[in-house]
Amino acid sequence: MHEPPLIGWLLVALCAATGAYCLVRAGARNPAEARSTGGDALMGLGMAVMAVPTAGLTSHPWGAPVFAAVFGAAGLRSLLVARGRTEQHLHHLHHAVGAFAMVYMALAMAGSPMSGHTGSAHAEGHVPAGTPLLTGLLLVYFAVYVVRTVAALVPVVAATSGEAPWPGRPNLTNACRLSMGIGMLAMLLTL
């Protein structure tokens, strides 16, 4: 990505922590939740690798094809699982969009005139990588996703209900999904 190194390393830390948490949650007793958080773990860890500011993805000719193959396969798998209209199926559809966005970013960065360069790409006239229309559509999609996820995080407790909004151990899955959505926005903005 073409972000300053500090931002890149912050994205790496955020996405790696998110991916690690989701990897732990993938051991859930519920198989549907395990599959969903397994997809979140793949996205979080893949985003962490892609956000490394040392241009590791673009300095090796095999980087973009490997990312494209892994996330293309993950996206196709998510599309196959996403048949239906339940919340779980819609989340798999979101995984497909995220996986294809990762493929797009990897291929755009590999074909970028700045590939192989690190540091401040913005300082000397940043040439956008990728197609501005597709990047814009993905930005809108992830912005809407972030707003929806924030709305899901705000606890709504009925006045008659006396129970706590998050009883017991908190499930941070929605917070992780929010951080990955914000990470995708940041990565798309730096294309």
Side-chain angles (χ1 to χ4, degrees):
M1 305 275 76
H2 291 311
E3 72 271 345
L6 176 63
I7 293 172
W9 286 115
L10 289 172
L11 273 172
V12 168
L14 175 72
C15 294
T18 299
Y21 174 79
C22 291
L23 198 57
V24 169
R25 291 285 300 174
R29 292 185 184 130
N30 179 354
E33 181 183 350
R35 279 191 303 273
S36 178
T37 54
D40 288 337
L42 175 67
M43 290 302 293
L45 295 173
M47 287 171 62
V49 171
M50 188 177 275
V52 171
T54 59
L57 179 66
T58 58
S59 64
H60 301 291
W62 49 264
V66 167
F67 258 85
V70 168
F71 285 99
L76 289 174
R77 182 194 167 282
S78 293
L79 278 178
L80 292 175
V81 175
R83 290 172 279 151
R85 295 210 181 265
T86 65
E87 184 68 30
Q88 195 68 25
H89 289 107
L90 291 176
H91 187 67
H92 284 291
L93 189 58
H94 169 71
H95 277 181
V97 172
F100 292 130
M102 295 287 283
V103 170
Y104 167 69
M105 286 188 287
L107 295 177
M109 290 306 297
S112 166
M114 295 295 294
S115 62
H117 293 9
T118 60
S120 62
H122 295 287
E124 303 213 4
H126 171 70
V127 177
T131 308
L133 178 62
L134 184 53
T135 302
L137 289 173
L138 287 170
L139 281 168
V140 168
Y141 172 81
F142 283 105
V144 169
Y145 179 78
V146 164
V147 169
R148 277 192 66 231
T149 305
V150 166
L153 279 173
V154 176
V156 179
V157 181
T160 60
S161 172
E163 67 183 61
W166 291 302
R169 196 173 107 202
N171 179 352
L172 300 176
T173 305
N174 279 338
C176 289
R177 290 174 180 162
L178 172 64
S179 65
M180 284 191 291
I182 292 169
M184 287 295 269
L185 281 170
M187 290 168 66
L188 284 164
L189 283 171
T190 62
L191 267 183

